[in-house]
Amino acid sequence: MVLRTNLDTKIAQFVAKTEAALDTTVRTTMLDLGFTAAAISPVLTGRFRASWRISQNTEDTSTAPEVLQKSAVRTARRAGASREIPLGGTFGRLKEQAFEMRAGGIHYLTNSVPYAEKINDGDPKTGREPALIVEQLRLLFNSVVARSASKAAV
C-alpha cells in the first residue's frame, strides 16, 4: 500500500495563503490606526489631521500643506462619530500608503507637523489640554490587530 501525495505543493499553497493573510492583517491594522488617528485628531486648520502618515521601515516625515485648499477639503462621517470630520485627501492617501505594506519590518504611524507633540501632550503655556491621541491608539492596538487578523484569517 502506498500513500501518494504532493505534499510540497500543498505546503507551498498554505504558506502563500498565510503570507497573504499576514500582509492583509498588516495593511488593515495600519489603515485602521491611521483612520482612527485622523478621526480623533482635534481640528483647527485641518493640517494636523491631514498630516497623519503610515509607512514601512522608514518614517514618513511629510506633512500636509500649510493651508489646505477649500476645494481639497471634504467632510465625512465616521461610524460612531458625533460630528462631521474634515478629511481632505487623508483617507485616500492612507489607503495608497497601506497598499504597499507587507508583513515584517517596522511599521510607522507618524504626524510630523511641528506642533504635533503639543497637541498630543498638551501645552501648559497656552492651556491646551492634551489630546492623548498616541495613548488612545495604544489602548486600541490589540483590538485593532485582532479584528484585522480575524478578517484575514486563512
Side-chain angles (χ1 to χ4, degrees), residues 5-6 12 19 22 38 45-46 51 56 63 65 77 87-88 96 111 114 121 126 149:
T5 180
N6 52 354
E19 286 174 350
L22 289 171
T45 65
S51 292
Q56 184 170 356
T63 60
R77 187 172 294 276
L87 302 174
E96 289 173 14
N111 193 317
D121 302 337
T126 63

Side-chain angles (χ1 to χ4, degrees), residues 13-35:
Q13 289 170 342
F14 176 77
V15 167
K17 225 173 160 182
T18 303
E19 286 174 350
L22 289 171
D23 290 343
T24 299
T25 300
V26 166
R27 280 189 212 96
T28 307
T29 298
M30 292 305 295
L31 195 55
D32 196 355
L33 291 172
F35 283 179

Side-chain angles (χ1 to χ4, degrees), residues 74-137:
R74 60 184 172 84
T75 58
R77 187 172 294 276
R78 286 254 311 161
S82 59
R83 66 192 191 290
E84 289 195 347
I85 303 167
L87 302 174
T90 303
F91 287 179
R93 183 186 29 71
L94 288 171
K95 284 181 183 179
E96 289 173 14
Q97 291 173 324
F99 182 75
E100 297 298 322
M101 292 192 160
R102 301 286 180 258
I106 299 172
H107 298 84
Y108 294 92
L109 171 64
T110 57
N111 193 317
S112 296
V113 293
Y115 47 87
E117 288 183 13
K118 286 184 179 179
I119 290 176
N120 189 70
D121 302 337
D123 186 5
K125 291 180 184 175
T126 63
R128 176 181 291 277
E129 293 292 321
L132 302 175
I133 298 160
V134 173
E135 290 74 8
Q136 291 179 61
L137 293 173

